[in-house]
Amino acid sequence: VARHADDTASTAPNPAHREPVLKVALDTPLRRVFDYLPPAGDARHEWSRGIRIRVPFGRRQQVGVLVDVARQSELPQDKLRRALGVIDERPVYDAALLELLHWASDYYQHPLGNVLLGALPTLARAGAADQATITQWAVTADGAAAAVAGEPRRAPRQREMLQRLASGAMDEDELRDAFADWRGAARELMRRGFIASSERSGADPAGPPPAEARAGPPLSAEQQSAVQAVCAALGEYRSFLLRGITGSGKTEVYLHAAAATLRRGRQVLVLVPEIALTPQLVERFAQRFGVAPVVFHSALTDTQRLIAWRQCLSGRARIVLGTRSAVFAPLPAAGLIVIDEEHDPSFKQQQGGFRYSARDLALVRAHRLGIPVLLGSATPSLESLHNVAAGRHVALSLPRRAGGAEPPILRIIDLRGQTLRNRLAGATIEAITRHLAADGQVLVYLNRRGYAPTLVCSACGWIAPCTQCDARMTIHRADDRLRCHHCGAERPLLHQCPQCGYAVKPVGQGTERIEEALIEMFPQAPLVRLDRDMVRNQEDLTNAYARLHSGEARLLVGTQMVTKGHDFPGVTLVVVLNADQGLFSIDYRAAERLAQSLVQVAGRAGRGQRPGEVLIQTEHPEHPMLQTLLRGGYDGFARVALEERRSANWPPFVRLAALRASAPTLPPAIDFLRAARNLGAAIRRADGLDAVSLNGPAPASMARRADRYHAQLLVESASRPDLQRFLAQWVPGVEALPEARRVRFVLDVDPLEVF
DNA sequence: AGCACGCCGACT
DNA sequence: GTCGGCGTGCTC
């Protein structure tokens, strides 16, 4: 391969003052950094870690991050190339963030370059400046002469612009205001060599000017002591778990703690599961502080994300509110981190190679920063409760609801031996009728969207399968299609059995079907359905909420979506249609999930002076999980569930990592995992890592998904350091296995699901 | 991950 | 005779 002379080391002028070697992390899956010489002509003595550098890589150019500077390279001199240029004057990460990213790369066994570059917005990854620039236009010497001569004679627009610029340089936005289609004229003038542009750094457009910050409602005694506890810790690391059901006033605690942090001149980071579901949280921060918080979520455009990131980095953003990835926002003056609904699984990245937990990383980040972190939830994760018991988190709690409303009455409806009408028991129908008559709103919760989960032939028993997954296709009546919820495949709805030609019928219930049934049974009660098919964007959601809040809608049917974020003060009855999915799952975390959903959905019932009622329909009324939950509430459930985890050796009493593989057929995936297990066994023996054990490989419970076969191998250890030491040795070896070339694989440290 | 090289099958 | 399939190897 021919190489240009200018990027080799042979031009180094003076070997006595050997040039420093730049260790640069690049966005590649390769687990190493790359050595470069400083850009030609750059003889600086100080190099800061965390600045971006443009480098040649193979035959391409890449933006990398400087992670270290060494006196010399372990590579032969002739392999070193020269960096092309330095992008930043200052690091694009604050010091604690840079450390956090190194830590995360080690902990999750993910290549450093991917982690570092992945923490930047797309445009920054491509080399966009860390500050907005203002482009200024001015006349050249030729241009000044041309202006005096009244040129260009045949282009009045250009002439006018040249005259204006001759009397003083202008910023681009001034030009835009002064001339229609200024760009065309400017381009021509520049082509003639009459004007030239220059860049200087400036601020991104500011938001609306700060309004008057409003005072909040008075705090309850419990809220006050929670706020005091957090405020007393400002300036040191301490983690708090704030317990409180929906409407108990957690947000008010966040707001007061945030206010105290702002008063100290520090930034506040607030992480939420989904911003789309919590527009009112953004709104409350905006109202209280008179300025909109800087938000990060998936709907931002690349440019919006870059601007938000710059505001964080410059320290102009005082309050930053975002989903999972916002844990990587640069915050040079961070003073407090809040994690709302800390139990929510969406804090764990479940896709792609870098499977991090934003909640866990937030704790690590706060620790490095020496600042408090406040976790909030009505239904904390068992990990967090365990951490409270172990003295690692300080427990704070907000009892009951603000306003002193009664807690809802929970009742189990035994479905056995009942004649059901549209999957509703008689007692359920009676309760709905009663609450509607009493002017209450009724929420029906079913965690299954679509019309029905299966399409069955009533003659031969054929069931509509997904052609690419080990799953059935769900019927969607709204657009008469069959959809696979696992791979997204869809096709038109069938009416006859493809095997025997007999009529097919939907079996089971989805939200669409329940909606249809409820409309038929309660025609006088306007209904709103809340699920992913119904709510496509922010506007749909706002409209649905508006119909519920005005009281116009009386019935609400929804999936998981209704258990999150929004509160429905008019709801007096909650019906859980089917609690049974989750009672018998193979996944060790299913019970926790179910309990959280039940408690969260029950929490939507009864507000103000009307006591709420919650009905849980089940075929298994005696199931111990339901019984514990009913008798002991979430705390009682959590105590029992943690004991079960302890005796069954599940997290948080052991640490897990899952190696997952997939291939077009099952054997290569299994062969790879078997080879990985053998390699692991050797490492375990050689290093005396007795606490580590390997389990599997086993096919996933739904082995075929999107035409690929999935399998996994579980690594387990009672000791986190041992697991980490093991993984650090194992993963590079696993990558190098010949079997690895025939599969796709990922390592999931602290997996949320094990199937 | 990209990207090139290289060595075997169906087309102008 | 070439276009292109993806196996293999390399990137400071």
Side-chain angles (χ1 to χ4, degrees):
Chain A
V1 175
R3 182 176 280 174
H4 302 292
D6 62 357
D7 44 40
T8 62
S10 56
T11 52
N14 185 353
H17 296 102
R18 198 160 33 194
E19 291 187 281
V21 172
L22 310 180
K23 305 265 178 190
V24 179
L26 296 169
D27 197 2
T28 75
L30 304 168
R31 296 174 183 277
R32 71 193 104 123
V33 293
F34 294 86
D35 293 357
Y36 288 90
L37 294 169
D42 197 327
R44 70 182 79 189
H45 298 291
E46 297 291 319
W47 289 92
S48 357
R49 290 166 193 188
I51 59 173
R52 289 170 299 166
I53 296 184
R54 220 180 281 281
V55 295
F57 189 60
R59 51 190 58 211
R60 297 174 301 139
Q61 259 192 40
Q62 286 240 303
V63 170
V65 174
L66 181 66
V67 293
D68 211 352
V69 183
R71 307 199 55 145
Q72 59 185 68
S73 175
E74 274 146 43
L75 257 72
Q77 284 289 307
D78 65 328
K79 291 213 87 175
L80 287 186
R81 295 169 83 183
R82 200 169 276 289
L84 299 168
V86 168
I87 298 173
D88 303 298
E89 311 245 315
R90 305 169 158 281
V92 289
Y93 313 93
D94 59 84
L97 177 55
L98 198 54
E99 280 181 42
L100 176 78
L101 294 166
H102 274 93
W103 186 91
S105 166
D106 286 342
Y107 186 79
Y108 293 105
Q109 292 298 322
H110 199 66
L112 181 62
N114 291 149
V115 173
L116 286 169
L117 276 300
L120 301 175
T122 316
L123 293 175
R125 219 176 297 164
D130 65 341
Q131 290 184 330
T133 53
I134 293 171
T135 309
Q136 200 177 49
W137 293 85
V139 287
T140 58
D142 280 2
V148 172
E151 285 183 54
R153 299 196 185 281
R154 313 239 319 246
R157 246 200 208 137
Q158 290 176 44
R159 197 166 59 233
E160 195 192 340
M161 185 180 283
L162 187 63
Q163 298 291 341
R164 281 285 292 276
L165 288 173
S167 60
M170 290 171 82
D171 286 349
E172 252 179 29
D173 42 344
E174 292 174 315
L175 281 173
R176 186 172 10 220
D177 293 343
F179 303 96
D181 186 31
W182 67 276
R183 213 170 261 287
R187 196 184 310 116
E188 269 310 296
L189 287 170
M190 186 167 70
R191 195 183 56 77
R192 291 168 195 252
F194 291 164
I195 64 171
S197 67
S198 59
E199 310 250 307
R200 63 184 165 83
S201 68
D204 278 303
E212 193 69 7
R214 283 199 217 150
L219 296 181
S220 69
E222 290 83 5
Q223 284 174 320
Q224 213 153 358
S225 63
V227 170
Q228 269 163 16
V230 179
C231 290
L234 290 177
E236 61 183 287
Y237 171 72
R238 196 168 300 167
S239 54
F240 299 92
L241 178 64
L242 176 64
R243 304 283 310 271
I245 59 168
T246 323
S248 62
K250 286 196 297 288
T251 308
E252 211 45 55
V253 176
Y254 303 158
L255 288 165
H256 279 260
T261 310
L262 295 186
R263 280 197 295 277
R264 296 175 141 232
R266 311 303 289 280
Q267 297 169 291
V268 180
L269 173 64
V270 182
L271 300 181
V272 294
E274 280 161 273
I275 284 199
L277 294 179
T278 51
Q280 81 282 26
L281 185 65
V282 181
E283 189 49 34
R284 279 184 64 189
F285 272 92
Q287 294 228 324
R288 183 63 53 87
F289 298 109
V291 215
V294 166
V295 295
F296 281 97
H297 61 270
S298 55
L300 296 185
T301 64
D302 285 348
T303 307
Q304 289 172 325
R305 197 177 295 275
L306 179 71
I307 291 173
W309 175 79
R310 284 169 172 168
Q311 288 175 327
C312 292
L313 185 62
S314 71
R316 270 162 45 96
R318 306 314 297 169
I319 297 175
V320 179
L321 217 152
T323 46
R324 190 172 56 232
S325 64
V327 75
F328 300 125
L331 298 165
L336 172 71
I337 303 179
V338 174
I339 303 156
D340 190 29
E341 306 298 349
E342 67 83 22
H343 66 280
D344 198 290
S346 59
F347 284 124
K348 176 84 198 260
Q349 172 68 267
Q350 309 257 39
Q351 261 114 249
F354 182 32
R355 306 202 169 194
Y356 64 94
S357 159
R359 184 244 279 144
D360 296 350
L361 287 181
L363 286 161
V364 175
R365 191 170 181 187
H367 185 77
R368 313 236 138 194
L369 282 162
I371 62 170
V373 56
L374 176 55
L375 312 180
S377 177
T379 52
S381 59
L382 296 186
E383 279 87 346
S384 293
L385 290 173
H386 180 63
N387 282 333
V388 168
R392 284 188 286 268
H393 297 333
V394 177
L396 302 170
S397 76
L398 301 178
R400 294 292 127 224
R401 303 158 183 219
E406 292 293 305
I409 303 149
L410 267 74
R411 196 145 54 95
I412 283 195
I413 305 288
D414 185 353
L415 293 181
R416 291 171 305 183
Q418 290 235 23
T419 330
L420 300 182
R421 210 176 136 204
N422 299 316
R423 180 78 211 182
L424 297 169
T428 307
I429 297 171
E430 179 273 319
I432 296 176
T433 313
R434 180 159 43 80
H435 279 262
L436 288 178
D439 241 17
Q441 285 178 321
V442 176
L443 188 165
V444 178
Y445 168 66
L446 175 62
N447 203 13
R448 189 168 260 170
R449 64 195 173 86
Y451 186 81
T454 36
L455 185 66
V456 180
C457 172
S458 20
C460 72
W462 175 85
I463 295 173
C466 174
T467 52
Q468 311 180 70
C469 304
D470 294 332
R472 279 78 192 269
M473 289 194 106
T474 300
I475 302 156
H476 286 257
R477 266 285 169 78
D479 49 4
D480 274 341
R481 295 186 77 76
L482 288 169
R483 282 204 182 87
C484 174
H485 288 183
H486 302 277
C487 71
E490 53 178 281
R491 52 190 158 119
L493 184 57
L494 302 167
H495 298 283
Q496 271 96 42
C497 174
Q499 267 183 21
C500 70
Y502 201 82
V504 288
K505 61 169 195 216
V507 170
Q509 309 284 325
T511 45
E512 268 185 43
R513 195 176 202 178
I514 292 302
E515 174 188 24
E516 182 186 272
L518 288 170
I519 287 173
E520 184 216 310
M521 294 165 81
F522 304 98
Q524 77 290 0
L527 181 147
V528 165
R529 196 178 96 216
L530 271 185
D531 58 33
R532 253 209 349 261
D533 302 313
M534 211 56 192
V535 179
R536 291 257 151 76
N537 52 45
Q538 188 66 59
E539 199 189 332
D540 293 343
L541 193 70
T542 313
N543 290 342
Y545 285 163
R547 288 190 62 202
L548 284 157
H549 279 272
S550 69
E552 179 215 330
R554 312 301 310 287
L555 279 165
L556 169 60
V557 176
T559 54
Q560 205 68 24
M561 205 174 252
V562 301
T563 68
K564 293 189 182 185
H566 215 275
D567 191 22
F568 309 103
V571 168
T572 55
L573 172 66
V574 169
V575 176
V576 178
L577 263 196
N578 183 3
D580 296 349
Q581 335 153 230
L583 283 181
F584 301 98
S585 170
I586 357 155
D587 189 41
Y588 75 94
R589 218 177 275 264
E592 178 184 349
R593 283 285 134 68
L594 177 60
Q596 286 163 346
S597 297
L598 291 180
V599 173
Q600 293 280 354
V601 76
R604 319 280 130 170
R607 197 44 73 72
Q609 296 323 304
R610 293 189 271 198
E613 196 177 347
V614 179
L615 304 182
I616 300 170
Q617 296 198 148
T618 175
E619 306 264 359
H620 307 277
E622 77 301 330
H623 193 285
M625 195 222 114
L626 284 178
Q627 288 300 327
T628 351
L629 191 60
L630 225 63
R631 295 215 190 91
Y634 188 77
D635 286 319
F637 160 78
R639 264 194 304 278
V640 174
L642 269 170
E643 267 325 301
E644 277 173 14
R645 296 263 185 102
R646 187 198 298 276
S647 54
N649 268 322
W650 284 118
F653 301 98
V654 294
R655 295 283 165 173
L656 293 182
L659 183 63
R660 304 209 163 94
S662 74
T665 60
L666 192 56
I670 297 286
D671 290 347
F672 162 70
L673 293 173
R674 200 171 284 136
R677 190 193 56 195
N678 293 339
L679 179 66
I683 290 171
R684 187 178 169 277
R685 238 177 290 120
D687 274 50
L689 294 164
D690 299 333
V692 175
S693 66
L694 294 147
N695 235 302
S701 69
M702 188 185 291
R704 190 171 59 115
R705 294 196 308 270
D707 250 343
R708 294 183 68 85
Y709 289 81
H710 297 252
Q712 73 170 12
L713 177 68
L714 268 190
V715 189
E716 179 191 301
S717 171
S719 144
R720 172 143 93 165
D722 277 9
L723 181 63
Q724 285 297 309
R725 276 207 295 145
F726 174 80
L727 294 177
Q729 290 194 66
W730 187 53
V731 173
V734 166
E735 246 171 23
L737 288 170
E739 290 88 346
R741 287 199 295 253
R742 328 198 100 256
V743 300
R744 281 188 213 149
F745 68 93
V746 277
L747 181 77
D748 193 345
V749 178
D750 301 330
L752 278 195
E753 270 145 9
V754 179
F755 34 71

